Amino acid sequence: MKIEADLVIQNASQLLTCSQEAPDLVGLVRNGWMALRGGEIIAVGDQADVKSSVSLDVAEVIDAAGKVVAPGFVDCHTHLVFGGSRVEEYSARLVTDDPEELRRRNVPTGIMVSVEQTRAASADELYRQSAQRLEEMILSGTTTVESKSGYGLDMETELRILEVNRRLEHNYPVEVVSTFLGAHGWPPSMKKEDYIDQLTKEMIPAVSGAGLAEFCDIWCDEGHYTASECRYVLEAGRGSGFEPKIHTGAYSHIGGADLAAEMKAVSADHLNFTPRESLRRLAGAGVTGVLLPGIDFAVRHPKPFNPVPMIEEGLEIALATNCCPGCWCTSMPLIVQLGCRNHGLSPEQAIRAATLGGAKALLRHEKTGSLEKGKRADIQIWNIDRYEDLVYHLGSPMVDTVIQKGRTIVSGGRPVWNTIS
Ligand SMILES: [Zn+2]
């Protein structure tokens, strides 16, 4: 008796498995078929492979003729939950980055502006603003998204942000992975050492006790936290059950990547200034390098990240939106386009980094990020007949269908989920 599928996707012009061992990185199958049951992938391949292993007699059918089937995007680095907007700063910086001129024009700048706006927002306001961004992400093909705290920098607001993560995860058909980034900065009213004390002795244990996060993150760069401060905070996090992640090398190289390698962190993110020997250490330690083309574009970064030495050293790479007040981007297709054109990734490297790479950066690679038997049915269907068009059709909406845990949540480019909120 063959197992009965409950949903079949058939006749795809191209199907990208993005499986671990795919020699072309994307695992291209022409005339691709796949069968699902109970939210899980039970068969994938060409028509003969699928029909020989499962029964399709009672399955609902999605015809993907003329389209490309791919894993849902895993957006593994975002600051999804924040209050307000920094559009004034963004607009002003389009014509000048001179701090004197920005001061003269009275333009409020920097992360503390967002901290104030976030502290002032109620849980419901934060939820509403973040839910709108999350809906855009789902419509752009994202089925798993990481969301960091870090615009509160005090116990009350950090917990409020993480509770919004939990509510979003509960109400929307997307997996929201929560990260505690209390060490995104420190409040101007406090000495850094005192805040580190509060982080490690009060905030981390409180977040852990409430079960509100899975990872602990920190920013290691000049003017932010030093590598030894990061070690202290991330070790405290690990002691409370949080695996470490690190923002590092965005504007300097002060040892954050080497610390990530030494601690076998889950990911090291940004890496603009990280030298080859540190990239080699990261690769050797199995750390995933998370690359953020959106922020490099949005801030016109003086030293955009270079993936070439990373790939040569064997580093696993992931692409993410870094959706935040400084880089208001919810679209993984745009990130893939920027990663290719501005940073020299091939379409195959970029698509792989936006799916399986992202899953590795969240320790979800056994569960999602590729289309393989036994994995969760997190799938998207693009309205294009060859995958390179994802990179070529700049800014076009290409996501036709999104399936999460086997359930169709976007169809014909429109939402068909019902939120509970
Ligand atoms: Zn970030």
Side-chain angles (χ1 to χ4, degrees):
M1 269 285 281
K2 284 197 276 187
I3 183 165
E4 292 274 4
D6 54 33
L7 182 69
V8 59
I9 302 172
Q10 63 186 35
N11 299 322
S13 286
Q14 298 184 337
L15 181 147
L16 310 180
T17 65
C18 296
S19 68
Q20 176 62 47
E21 52 293 326
D24 64 350
L25 299 179
V26 291
L28 173 64
V29 180
R30 289 179 206 282
N31 187 22
W33 285 56
M34 59 189 301
L36 320 180
R37 182 189 171 88
E40 213 177 78
I41 299 168
I42 55 170
V44 57
D46 61 21
Q47 185 173 4
D49 295 335
V50 170
K51 283 193 166 170
S52 66
S53 58
V54 299
S55 160
L56 305 176
D57 293 347
V58 298
E60 186 195 329
V61 175
I62 293 180
D63 191 64
K67 297 181 176 141
V68 176
V69 175
F73 289 125
V74 180
D75 189 354
C76 63
H77 181 139
T78 89
H79 306 251
L80 174 64
V81 181
F82 59 85
S85 153
R86 299 222 307 271
V87 63
E88 219 184 317
E89 174 181 354
Y90 191 87
S91 306
R93 285 189 191 275
L94 295 174
V95 290
T96 179
D97 261 332
D98 176 19
E100 271 309 307
E101 178 62 18
L102 292 168
R103 252 195 303 276
R104 201 185 59 73
R105 293 188 191 191
N106 230 346
V107 179
T109 61
I111 164 178
M112 287 315 298
V113 177
S114 297
V115 170
E116 280 165 31
Q117 290 175 330
T118 305
R119 285 178 178 176
S122 68
D124 284 348
E125 276 170 65
L126 280 180
Y127 175 80
R128 192 182 48 74
Q129 293 176 21
S130 312
Q132 194 176 338
R133 291 187 280 270
L134 185 63
E135 292 189 9
E136 291 173 9
M137 289 173 170
I138 298 170
L139 290 168
S140 307
T142 296
T143 50
T144 302
V145 60
E146 189 249 23
S147 174
K148 303 176 194 293
S149 68
Y151 287 108
L153 307 184
D154 62 28
M155 175 85 93
E156 189 198 327
T157 320
E158 288 291 313
L159 291 175
R160 188 155 79 239
I161 294 169
L162 295 171
E163 277 157 9
V164 169
N165 279 347
R166 178 139 78 186
R167 211 167 134 195
L168 291 168
E169 149 84 5
H170 181 260
N171 289 351
Y172 281 92
V174 55
E175 184 174 21
V176 178
V177 179
S178 191
T179 295
F180 176 60
L181 176 61
H184 198 191
W186 58 92
S189 58
M190 271 177 103
K191 280 207 265 181
K192 187 164 49 159
E193 309 84 87
D194 295 339
Y195 186 63
I196 290 174
D197 231 38
Q198 196 189 333
L199 269 173
T200 53
K201 299 200 170 76
E202 297 167 29
M203 293 166 84
I204 287 174
V207 172
S208 167
L212 282 171
E214 180 172 338
F215 300 108
C216 183
D217 199 342
I218 190 163
W219 190 352
C220 186
D221 241 318
E222 252 163 31
H224 298 271
Y225 289 93
T226 65
S228 65
E229 288 162 348
C230 291
R231 180 197 308 278
Y232 183 72
V233 172
L234 293 176
E235 276 175 357
R238 202 167 241 172
S240 286
F242 302 132
E243 282 304 298
K245 285 175 151 298
I246 193 163
H247 285 63
T248 194
Y251 293 100
S252 59
H253 176 60
I254 60 164
D258 303 292
L259 174 68
E262 191 196 313
M263 290 189 78
K264 295 194 185 305
V266 178
S267 71
D269 305 32
H270 287 281
L271 306 178
N272 301 60
F273 280 82
T274 309
R276 184 180 280 269
E277 58 274 20
S278 302
L279 296 172
R280 190 176 306 140
R281 280 183 208 119
L282 287 174
V287 180
T288 298
V290 176
L291 307 176
L292 308 169
I295 191 76
D296 284 8
F297 174 73
V299 304
R300 208 168 9 171
H301 200 291
K303 187 172 162 54
F305 73 79
N306 176 11
V308 174
M310 302 178 189
I311 290 165
E312 284 174 359
E313 294 299 337
L315 183 67
E316 183 79 41
I317 58 164
L319 286 174
T321 60
N322 191 28
C323 180
C324 68
C327 168
W328 193 300
C329 175
T330 54
S331 164
M332 285 297 282
L334 175 63
I335 291 303
V336 167
Q337 290 162 5
L338 293 175
C340 291
R341 184 71 286 172
N342 285 352
H343 302 268
L345 290 168
S346 69
E348 296 78 17
Q349 288 167 335
I351 290 169
R352 163 84 162 216
T355 53
L356 189 63
K360 287 191 173 172
L362 296 178
L363 302 180
R364 292 293 192 279
H365 49 290
E366 302 291 338
K367 228 186 196 182
T368 191
S370 63
L371 304 182
E372 292 175 271
K373 192 175 164 187
K375 279 201 167 180
R376 201 165 69 196
D378 293 347
I379 302 159
Q380 54 179 328
I381 305 176
W382 300 327
N383 222 343
I384 46 180
D385 63 5
R386 52 182 297 178
Y387 66 85
E388 296 93 331
D389 280 338
L390 185 80
V391 174
Y392 177 54
H393 294 189
L394 302 175
S396 300
M398 282 170 273
V399 177
D400 178 86
T401 302
V402 182
I403 295 169
Q404 196 250 3
K405 291 186 188 161
R407 205 155 65 86
T408 302
I409 57 172
V410 175
S411 179
R414 297 184 197 289
V416 291
W417 71 80
N418 294 310
T419 61
I420 306 157
S421 65

